[in-house]
Amino acid sequence: MGAASEPFRLLVLPGDGIGPEVIAETLRVVRRFEGELGRTVEVSEALVGGAAIDAHGLPITDETAALALAADAVLFGAVGGEAWDRQPIALRPEAGLLRLRKDMDLFANLRPALCYPELVAASSLRPEFVEGLDILIIRELTAGVYFGEPRGVEDLGGGVSRAYDTQAYTSVEVERVVRAAFDIARGRGRRVCSVDKANVMQTGAFWRAIATRVGADYPDVELSHMYADNCAMQLMRRPKQFDVVVTDNLFGDILSDAAAMLTGSLGLLPSASLGAADSQGRRKALYEPVHGSAPDIAGRGIANPLATILSFGMCLRHSMDAPQAADRLDAAVRRALAAGARTADIATPGATVVSTTAMTDAVLRELEAV
Ligand code: IPM
Ligand code: MG
């Protein structure tokens, strides 16, 4: 039996805030492709984040983490909200997501920042700076200061205390994510910008040396290096100079938010977090919108489902071996935008604002045409 006829096991973790709403709409898209691809998608669902804290006292249970490890892919909504803000760090909603990243060893986090022609005016930069923008930030996701040990707070006596985290990378951790960046760059603009703080940090100089060594294996891809602070500045100054940016966990967190805002459409940006490919080319994967749980608009049916729908598009491409279906879904989203469908977050003057469900309806309708 070929892989294409085996059921695809999708674990859905809606989470908090608008997570459940955007996931519910995306599942309508999943069902559509299930029919088109002739491949059964077995969807199971579990709690994560604040929802899991309320039910089980933990942001993710061992059972749910095991389900994620056994699944072909995880589709994640969003986590967090004021109700859980006073939890200790290890018991906050975010800890559920961090555990999944670590347990599943999802070291390569792909965060495209694409400026849709219809939304050029929504960017904080002038149109000529963002028109045609197509950056892919690849963020290392399982190491660095997010997970480094030791970490803690200690009492130094005399009323003074001290908090510390550890930034640490092994050569394996750097090499595998840099290699992923080069491999992916080959399928697009063939330019990799590796971002670090080699002028200040040991881990930065180490990162740069490894990126340079790996780069020698890819003579067809242009490698440049940039300090992280300069990169933040260059993203604002001349963002179209970038093709693929590869960087560590913390810099990637910050720079991907900056890049996202350039597009004027945080509600549209998907992401994929990928592990290493096994001998059959399958990899563990988690797909999630870049936006957060937006508790202020939760439950009102007005959230933008496109980032989650496009995250499923990345799942079609990277986990379901269906790049043509992924292209069609991308095209349908563009057509829906071109036809004027706007949720409140991307509403342009004079546009008719549609609900979460109506936006999904528009995408499903356009899928007929592409
Ligand atoms: C992100 C988020 C997370 C991070 C939070 C929710 C833990 O900001 O995915 O960028 O810091 O990695
Ligand atoms: Mg972030």
Side-chain angles (χ1 to χ4, degrees), residues 101 111 139 146 252-254 256-257 290:
R101 290 174 179 172
R111 298 190 166 190
R139 167 187 176 192
Y146 269 61
D253 180 45
I254 297 165
S256 63
D257 263 23
V290 167

Side-chain angles (χ1 to χ4, degrees), residues 79 94 97-98 101 111 139 141 146 249 253 257 288:
V79 290
E94 291 85 349
L97 180 56
L98 294 174
R101 290 174 179 172
R111 298 190 166 190
R139 167 187 176 192
L141 204 59
Y146 269 61
N249 206 340
D253 180 45
D257 263 23
E288 61 171 320

